[in-house]
Amino acid sequence: MGMKGKYLVTIILLVSTLSVGMCSNRWIRAHATFYGVNDSPASLGGACGYDNPYHAGFGAHTAALSGALFKSGESCGGCYQVRCDYRADPKWCLRGAAVTVTATNFCPSNNNGGWCNLPRHHFDMSMPAFFRIARRGNEGIVPVFYRRVGCRRRGGVRFTMRGQGNFNMVILSNVGGSGAVKAVAVRGSRGKTWRQMTRNWGANWQSSGDLRGQRLSFRVNLLDRKTMTFLNVVPSSW
């Protein structure tokens, strides 16, 4: 955007992989389609702000969620186990098959009775994920069941910093546990007070304090009520 002093830096913090939290045994009815037949990985980041799901640590099994599930970005990074309803559609559903997908995008309403319109629960899945539960040759829609599950991540939590001067924005990705971030606070190395960040859009969190020249620490609250603290993870040279 032509901003003087604009920066972009990604910090990968190697921490133990989290795989629990936000699990539910209750299966909920929904529907699923697929997208991205000819898309490159870099084009599938979408409304959460992950410019590339592969670089973010999510791999190929991703999905865009309808508004009832996306909740203005609250579900970004969260994991869902999805299985096709074989009894309802034995022609196209694979019996007993399930896949875990990460929420990385938003499936908007089309104001014409679309499947992503409120209050419907819908998954517009990547093609690799969709064909883990449905037969090839199906280019339509299938009935599914889903439930929230914990995210299994490898390689550590990733912090991508963007902004300038007294406007700082961070994207958190590859987060284990619930995967979905509820709140973020930041603290500079010259201060003792945590500054609460606000969700700008999707998985982007912002603060307005001038923290240049300081090491940055983050306190992250997940939807499963787990709190993680990352001390001095961003060097002062950012």
Side-chain angles (χ1 to χ4, degrees):
M1 295 186 296
M3 295 187 301
K4 184 179 180 180
K6 182 180 178 182
Y7 55 81
L8 170 62
V9 60
T10 299
I11 306 295
I12 300 177
L13 179 64
L14 298 179
V15 296
S16 58
T17 299
L18 302 175
S19 59
V20 296
M22 211 61 191
C23 297
S24 172
N25 292 323
R26 186 168 71 95
W27 291 94
I28 302 171
R29 292 183 180 273
H31 286 84
T33 48
F34 74 90
Y35 72 102
V37 177
N38 298 314
D39 288 334
S40 69
S43 69
L44 302 178
C48 286
Y50 309 122
D51 56 355
N52 186 320
Y54 284 79
H55 292 167
F58 303 139
H61 293 165
T62 59
L65 307 186
S66 62
L69 295 173
F70 189 73
K71 298 179 180 178
S72 300
E74 291 183 9
S75 296
C76 289
C79 294
Y80 298 79
Q81 187 177 37
V82 183
R83 63 180 176 88
C84 211
D85 187 353
Y86 181 82
R87 288 188 176 183
D89 192 351
K91 179 180 179 180
W92 294 115
C93 287
L94 296 175
R95 186 195 294 268
V99 65
T100 298
V101 296
T102 299
T104 60
N105 208 342
F106 171 55
C107 182
S109 301
N110 65 10
N111 299 318
N112 192 29
W115 285 104
C116 288
N117 290 10
L118 293 171
R120 291 173 171 168
H121 290 198
H122 186 82
F123 294 82
D124 196 18
M125 303 166 69
S126 67
M127 188 174 66
F130 185 81
F131 287 122
R132 290 286 299 272
I133 62 171
R135 301 183 190 280
R136 292 188 176 271
N138 178 10
E139 297 181 355
I141 187 167
V142 294
V144 299
F145 294 99
Y146 78 90
R147 62 183 178 182
R148 289 294 299 263
V149 295
C151 298
R152 294 181 179 273
R153 305 296 189 208
R154 296 183 182 277
V157 178
R158 304 179 186 191
F159 299 81
T160 300
M161 299 287 299
R162 290 186 173 94
Q164 69 164 5
N166 62 353
F167 176 78
N168 308 294
M169 191 156 63
V170 61
I171 301 175
L172 276 71
S173 59
N174 205 45
V175 181
S178 74
V181 177
K182 182 178 181 180
V184 181
V186 63
R187 187 179 70 190
S189 55
R190 298 195 196 114
K192 298 182 179 180
T193 303
W194 290 98
R195 301 183 183 189
Q196 200 67 34
M197 306 184 79
T198 58
R199 189 188 302 274
N200 184 288
W201 62 278
N204 293 268
W205 294 83
Q206 73 175 54
S207 68
S208 58
D210 190 346
L211 299 173
R212 287 175 294 182
Q214 302 183 57
R215 298 186 305 276
L216 301 184
S217 301
F218 293 93
R219 187 174 62 199
V220 180
N221 296 322
L222 304 181
L223 285 182
D224 61 2
R225 299 181 181 180
K226 183 184 295 293
T227 298
M228 300 184 294
T229 302
F230 305 94
L231 297 177
N232 299 319
V233 295
V234 178
S236 59
S237 58
W238 63 272

